[in-house]
């Protein structure tokens, strides 16, 4: 097969299509049909299971990079470097998220404009690059980013994917053809002043900030508002509290929901604080942080343009060497996303347990009925919206574990797990934001309280705590044990075993006194 020009492209199902350009192979293929093409595939190292043969072969064109020529689909905007990556990484079928492509397009657009203004790019070329990059950012070429997530650890394949798509599109805008490299060069012009090593971490930061702003923070704010509304609605309802899954002193249902609202509020605050480090971009460091081959003003000007045009206040990092050799800021931020996921999992779990039953569970809440709950039990309705959120929370915890592991792969001047970091970080932000918004709109706003919580209050044993200031801990404990053994209420046993009057019992066991601080209702011990 020496001297043969060949290529393999992945299908949607993950198989491979082989195209071979060689006089001998073409003759055999024509004579023998697909079998000879399969034999050719096996000759270049593919297994039989990895190969499907496409016939007829789609139109192709030759593209060139520093390693030589490659065949690329004629309709593709990407070039030889991207095609090599497609061949090299037929692993998962997972591609980079939309927001990372947006961030790359935005950075390339800003870079073209800044390089034009610095006199480093011909204005007509720069304007074509900027327009093409803007189209990439807008999503017009998402199908031209086929490189697998599991690729070179720096993300060079994805950076070159962007450079090639933008260069070919810019060439078209200037009246040229795709693949010539004569009008716009992907490295010399689109990538001017940049390296994959500073562009990819910068794109991850920018994309994460956009996802936080557009998806996760609004979802948490909406959840907090809905929970505060429910807190006010449920404030008059007093019920038994629970610690260790056992009866505890009374609490207002509204107080429980106020706690949930506080969780959402604090999750939002933690995320905003953790995101502060994401506002620093590695741009300007190029290969190893020294800034070789870039104008001293390039990074600061690019950041200013991005801030103005996206509303995301980014700035050049004050320490390029840490910005490229680590992903510490991403690890920290992902931890805040994980904390938010764990927090809302607790809320969702509490709500589904409080709604358990409806007859043999706690049954203190009813949830909106959104779909049948069983294929065999008629009339069963399950807390499916809460369960969906809990599953997303588990996914986020897994994503964060990947990112924590990736953070350990910052050897010397570069972290080499940037693509998988980007994928997991953006997925966890977007998934959690969507799941929280769905939980709020399809569950929380429709929650209603039942009478079961208040009805069970008098039967609870923990209200014996309210007797402690009057009769002491030991006597109150004895009353609670007697009530538990006999099935009587605390009031009934206290009436029989103490000299407390009915008026005194009414005062001590008044639910209103048991849900506020102070000694009137006894100490709030746990």
């Amino acid at each position: 097969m020496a001297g043969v020009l060949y290529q393999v492209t992945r299908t949607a199902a993950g198989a491979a299509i082989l195209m071979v350009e060689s006089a001998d192979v073409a003759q055999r293929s024509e004579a023998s049909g697909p079998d000879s093409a399969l034999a050719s595939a096996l000759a270049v190292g593919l297994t039989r299971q990895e190969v499907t043969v496409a016939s007829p072969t789609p139109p192709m064109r030759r593209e060139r990079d520093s390693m030589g020529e490659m065949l690329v689909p004629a309709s593709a905007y990407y070039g030889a470097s991207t095609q090599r990556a497609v061949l090299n990484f037929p692993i998962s079928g997972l591609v980079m998220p939309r927001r990372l492509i947006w961030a790359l397009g935005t950075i390339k657009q800003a870079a073209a404009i800044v390089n034009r203004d610095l006199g480093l790019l011909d204005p007509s070329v720069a304007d074509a690059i900027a327009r093409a990059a803007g189209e990439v950012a807008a999503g017009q070429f998402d199908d031209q980013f086929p490189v697998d997530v599991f690729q070179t650890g720096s993300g060079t394949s994805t950076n070159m994917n962007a450079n090639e798509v933008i260069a070919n599109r810019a060439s078209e805008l200037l009246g040229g053809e795709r693949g010539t490299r004569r009008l716009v060069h992907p490295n010399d012009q689109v990538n001017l002043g940049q390296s994959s090593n500073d562009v990819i971490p910068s794109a991850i930061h920018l994309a994460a900030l956009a996802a936080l702003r557009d998806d996760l923070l609004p979802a948490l704010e909406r959840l907090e508002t809905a929970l505060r509304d429910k807190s006010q609605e449920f404030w008059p309802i007093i019920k038994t509290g629970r610690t260790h899954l056992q009866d505890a002193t009374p609490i207002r249902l509204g107080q429980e929901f106020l706690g949930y609202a506080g969780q959402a509020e604090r999750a939002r605050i933690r995320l905003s604080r953790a995101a502060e480090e994401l506002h620093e971009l590695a741009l300007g460091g190029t290969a190893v942080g020294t800034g070789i081959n870039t104008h001293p003003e390039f990074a600061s000007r690019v950041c200013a343009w991005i801030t103005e045009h996206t509303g995301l206040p980014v700035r050049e990092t004050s320490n390029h060497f840490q910005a490229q050799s680590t992903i510490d800021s991403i690890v920290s931020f992902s931890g805040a996303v994980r904390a938010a996921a764990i927090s809302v999992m607790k809320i969702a779990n509490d709500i589904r347990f409080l709604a358990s039953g409806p007859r043999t569970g706690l049954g203190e809440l009813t949830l909106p009925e959104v779909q049948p709950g069983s294929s065999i039990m008629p009339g069963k309705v399950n807390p499916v919206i809460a369960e969906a959120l809990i599953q997303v929370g588990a996914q986020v915890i897994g994503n964060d574990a990947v990112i924590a592991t990736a953070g350990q792969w910052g050897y010397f001047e570069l972290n080499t797990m940037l693509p998988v970091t980007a994928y997991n970080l953006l997925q966890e932000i977007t998934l959690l934001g969507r799941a929280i918004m769905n939980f709020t709109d399809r569950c929380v706003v429709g929650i209603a309280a039942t009478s079961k919580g208040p009805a069970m209050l008098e039967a609870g044993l923990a209200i014996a705590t309210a007797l402690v200031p009057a009769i002491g801990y030991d006597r109150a404990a004895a009353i609670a044990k007697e009530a538990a053994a006999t099935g009587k209420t605390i009031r009934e046993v206290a009436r029989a075993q103490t000299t407390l009057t009915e008026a005194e019992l009414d005062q001590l066991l008044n639910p209103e006194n048991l849900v506020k601080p102070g000694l009137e209702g006894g100490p709030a011990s746990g």
Side-chain angles (χ1 to χ4, degrees):
M1 297 293 293
V4 173
L5 187 64
Y6 66 89
Q7 77 143 39
V8 183
T9 54
R10 287 180 293 113
T11 67
I17 300 173
L18 180 82
M19 281 150 275
V20 182
E21 187 173 295
S22 163
D24 292 340
V25 172
Q27 290 170 5
R28 287 199 304 271
S29 296
E30 185 175 347
S32 305
D35 288 343
S36 65
L38 176 59
S40 301
L42 298 176
V44 298
L46 294 172
T47 67
R48 187 176 298 269
Q49 290 74 24
E50 290 174 323
V51 175
T52 60
V53 178
S55 180
T57 301
M60 307 294 288
R61 72 169 189 268
R62 281 186 174 85
E63 278 264 12
R64 174 175 289 277
D65 62 7
S66 61
M67 292 185 69
E69 283 190 339
M70 285 290 293
L71 286 177
V72 175
S75 61
Y77 279 88
Y78 55 80
S81 292
T82 301
Q83 187 61 44
R84 291 188 197 280
V86 170
L87 303 184
N88 286 334
F89 310 112
I91 296 172
S92 70
L94 302 174
V95 295
M96 284 300 182
R98 160 96 278 274
R99 272 205 175 86
L100 191 80
I101 298 172
W102 166 80
L104 281 170
T106 299
I107 289 170
K108 301 294 181 181
Q109 183 178 22
I113 292 169
V114 167
N115 283 323
R116 178 198 66 193
D117 295 346
L118 290 171
L120 302 176
L121 269 183
D122 177 88
S124 62
V125 172
D127 290 346
I129 292 173
R131 178 177 166 185
E135 292 173 351
V136 166
Q140 296 181 31
F141 295 95
D142 284 359
D143 61 344
Q144 298 298 307
F145 286 80
V147 180
D148 203 275
V149 167
F150 300 99
Q151 52 164 286
T152 172
S154 62
T156 298
S157 298
T158 292
N159 184 45
M160 280 307 302
N161 193 168
N163 290 335
E164 290 178 338
V165 169
I166 292 168
N168 276 322
R169 175 57 180 151
S171 294
E172 278 189 343
L173 294 172
L174 292 171
E177 297 179 355
R178 302 175 208 174
T180 61
R181 287 191 171 212
R182 287 193 294 269
L183 295 181
V184 182
H185 195 283
N187 300 79
D188 295 340
Q189 294 171 309
V190 179
N191 202 57
L192 180 61
Q194 305 149 63
S195 164
S196 302
N197 299 355
D198 62 357
V199 166
I200 296 299
S202 297
I204 297 172
H205 282 211
L206 186 61
L209 288 171
L212 177 66
R213 177 191 64 186
D214 299 340
D215 290 340
L216 189 47
L217 288 183
L220 284 167
E221 290 168 2
R222 172 96 173 99
L223 177 62
E224 180 187 346
T225 298
L227 290 168
R228 289 192 186 281
D229 289 345
K230 287 297 172 183
S231 175
Q232 293 181 3
E233 178 185 340
F234 297 154
W235 198 259
I237 300 171
I238 300 175
K239 45 157 282 187
T240 301
R242 295 178 180 88
T243 58
H244 304 271
L245 298 181
Q246 304 298 304
D247 294 349
T249 54
I251 188 172
R252 293 183 185 274
L253 183 58
Q255 290 172 322
E256 281 189 319
F257 273 75
L258 183 62
Y260 302 149
Q263 285 184 260
E265 176 189 26
R266 283 156 179 78
R268 179 170 49 81
I269 292 170
R270 286 187 209 103
L271 284 162
S272 296
R273 287 174 179 166
E276 277 302 309
E277 290 186 61
L278 297 183
H279 292 275
E280 282 194 0
L281 302 189
L283 287 172
T286 61
V288 296
T290 60
I292 188 173
N293 288 353
T294 192
H295 192 284
E297 298 178 22
F298 172 81
S300 60
R301 289 196 184 201
V302 169
C303 289
W305 190 95
I306 291 172
T307 297
E308 179 182 354
H309 289 82
T310 67
L312 296 168
V314 295
R315 60 189 180 275
E316 181 182 1
T317 181
S318 60
N319 188 326
H320 283 279
F321 306 104
Q322 66 81 31
Q324 292 177 214
S325 64
T326 80
I327 57 168
D328 293 351
S329 56
I330 294 173
V331 171
S332 174
F333 178 74
S334 178
V337 179
R338 180 196 61 197
I342 292 170
S343 186
V344 297
M345 288 172 80
K346 183 264 196 290
I347 295 170
N349 255 326
D350 275 12
I351 286 175
R352 74 189 189 105
F353 274 113
L354 289 171
S356 62
R359 294 190 176 181
T360 60
L362 298 180
E364 295 180 8
L365 299 177
T366 60
L367 308 183
E369 298 183 355
V370 296
Q371 67 183 54
S374 173
S375 62
I376 191 173
M377 293 175 280
K380 193 173 190 294
V381 179
N382 296 330
V384 294
I385 303 299
E387 290 169 357
L389 176 58
I390 291 164
Q391 290 177 81
V392 166
Q395 181 69 50
V396 170
I397 293 169
N399 285 29
D400 178 68
V402 172
I403 292 169
T405 302
Q408 301 172 51
W409 259 253
Y411 295 126
F412 303 112
E413 277 66 61
L414 184 67
N415 181 281
T416 53
M417 289 185 71
L418 296 177
V420 76
T421 295
Y423 184 86
N424 279 274
L425 181 66
L426 296 175
Q427 184 188 63
E428 71 182 34
I429 298 170
T430 301
L431 276 180
L432 189 59
R434 291 177 180 174
I436 290 173
M437 192 68 81
N438 189 62
F439 176 66
T440 302
D441 292 342
R442 294 180 180 270
C443 182
V444 174
V445 297
I447 292 173
T450 70
S451 61
K452 194 168 182 179
M456 293 297 292
L457 183 61
E458 182 78 9
L461 300 179
I463 61 171
T465 307
L467 302 178
V468 172
I471 64 174
Y473 184 91
D474 290 341
R475 291 187 68 192
I479 288 172
K481 291 179 181 179
E482 175 70 14
T486 62
K488 295 180 180 179
T489 66
I490 295 295
R491 181 188 295 270
E492 289 170 337
V493 177
R495 185 186 294 128
Q497 294 187 2
T498 72
T499 60
L500 293 171
T501 67
E502 199 65 34
E504 288 172 329
L505 287 171
D506 285 343
Q507 174 64 23
L508 289 169
L509 300 178
N510 182 351
E512 293 288 340
N513 293 333
L514 302 181
V515 293
K516 61 185 179 183
L519 297 176
E520 299 93 332
S525 58

